[in-house]
Amino acid sequence: MDKAEVALDAVSESEKKTSKSKTKSGLERKSVLDFRKYTKQIWLAGLGAFSRAEEEGNKLFDSLVKVGEELESKTTDIADQTVEKVSEKAKESVIDTKDKVEKLIDHSVHHSLNRIGLVTLKDVQHLEKLILQLHEKVDQLSADQKKIQDELSKKAQQK
């Protein structure tokens, strides 16, 4: 607003000087009035531009904030999905590696125990399975033998 006052004061001084000199024509007087009119219009245009820039600047700022929030939401979702995928792959890799290490250790221990002649749990389980199979066969043979003896005793009684 200070610049406008300075411009208006300059116009006023200019008018005073022109009024002192009586030899100026009507054309010069009209140009001074036009200058004053244009100066005021320039000042008002500047105020209007400032006001519009302030309003649109706030709207632009709000719009940029909204776009930023949407982008942040999308990138957060993508980041969460990526972390989840990487986590799953890491778990699978750890489980696979653990299984491989366990198998290697079992094989090494089994091999070492066999070299020194110790019996392993697998050996005992295998022997237990064989004993159970043998027990079933013995029971079957006993049942068959009892049948045969019953048949023989019936034939002997019939004679």
Side-chain angles (χ1 to χ4, degrees):
M1 197 164 178
D2 292 334
K3 292 180 181 179
E5 289 176 356
V6 170
L8 290 175
D9 286 343
V11 170
S12 296
E13 278 186 44
S14 164
E15 286 177 356
K16 287 178 186 176
K17 289 179 184 176
T18 54
S19 64
K20 288 181 183 175
S21 66
K22 297 179 182 179
T23 59
K24 292 192 177 179
S25 67
L27 184 60
E28 289 176 343
R29 186 175 258 190
K30 184 178 180 186
S31 69
V32 169
L33 291 176
D34 287 343
F35 177 72
R36 188 178 221 188
K37 177 181 167 186
Y38 291 130
T39 304
K40 186 172 182 178
Q41 286 178 341
I42 290 170
W43 169 250
L44 293 175
L47 285 177
F50 176 75
S51 175
R52 182 167 286 170
E54 185 178 23
E55 288 174 12
E56 291 180 8
N58 288 337
K59 288 178 187 176
L60 177 63
F61 180 78
D62 292 341
S63 139
L64 290 174
V65 167
K66 183 181 266 186
V67 169
E69 288 172 343
E70 291 172 1
L71 182 62
E72 180 183 41
S73 174
K74 288 178 185 176
T75 55
T76 300
D77 291 343
I78 291 170
D80 289 345
Q81 290 171 358
T82 304
V83 166
E84 189 173 317
K85 287 178 184 176
V86 169
S87 176
E88 286 298 318
K89 286 184 180 181
K91 285 179 184 177
E92 289 173 5
S93 176
V94 166
I95 290 171
D96 289 345
T97 304
K98 179 184 156 247
D99 290 344
K100 288 177 184 177
V101 168
E102 284 178 351
K103 285 179 184 177
L104 286 172
I105 290 173
D106 285 347
H107 180 69
S108 295
V109 168
H110 180 70
H111 182 68
S112 297
L113 291 176
N114 280 339
R115 278 192 310 169
I116 57 175
L118 293 178
V119 178
T120 64
L121 178 62
K122 286 183 180 179
D123 293 336
V124 172
Q125 289 172 343
H126 180 68
L127 287 174
E128 183 181 7
K129 185 178 176 183
L130 291 175
I131 291 172
L132 288 173
Q133 289 173 353
L134 183 61
H135 187 44
E136 287 176 13
K137 287 182 180 180
V138 168
D139 288 344
Q140 182 69 34
L141 288 173
S142 292
D144 290 346
Q145 183 182 5
K146 187 174 180 184
K147 256 189 202 176
I148 293 172
Q149 283 179 352
D150 288 343
E151 288 176 11
L152 286 176
S153 66
K154 281 184 187 178
K155 282 184 184 179
Q157 285 178 358
Q158 287 176 356
K159 288 188 178 181

